[in-house]
Amino acid sequence: MNLADHLDGRTNALTVSDVAELLNISERQVYKLAAENRIPSFKIGGSVRFDPAAFAAWLRQKMEPSSVRLTGSARGTRRVS
């Protein structure tokens, strides 16, 4: 089961903390990505939340081979677009 499949069973909105843990990034980075509309999110009052189905669809799109571009020379670094 991949990460996106794990989210399919969720019925409650994801929190910033949930997303940070799933992506193994800081909560600050999650807030930044949401503010830049780089990840699907919505606000309830002052709280940022994430629809599990929309987030799973976004993850699947990002996990497709065509969404990963190799950058750098022989260093083997990757950048996700």
Side-chain angles (χ1 to χ4, degrees):
M1 177 185 298
N2 69 31
L3 186 57
D5 292 339
H6 174 71
L7 293 172
D8 284 335
R10 295 278 307 243
T11 56
N12 295 333
L14 301 169
T15 64
V16 169
S17 178
D18 293 333
V19 172
E21 185 177 335
L22 285 168
L23 298 179
N24 198 29
I25 60 176
S26 70
E27 289 183 13
R28 183 177 179 155
Q29 185 66 20
V30 174
Y31 280 114
K32 181 179 177 186
L33 292 170
E36 295 171 350
N37 293 316
R38 294 183 60 200
I39 56 177
S41 63
F42 61 95
K43 280 193 168 186
I44 300 293
S47 300
V48 177
R49 295 291 184 262
F50 306 85
D51 178 290
F55 197 75
W58 174 82
L59 273 175
R60 285 186 180 97
Q61 186 264 327
K62 289 297 182 185
M63 292 168 64
E64 290 177 359
S66 62
S67 68
V68 176
R69 292 183 294 171
L70 296 179
T71 60
S73 55
R75 292 189 303 235
T77 57
R78 295 190 317 170
R79 185 176 90 200
V80 177
S81 57

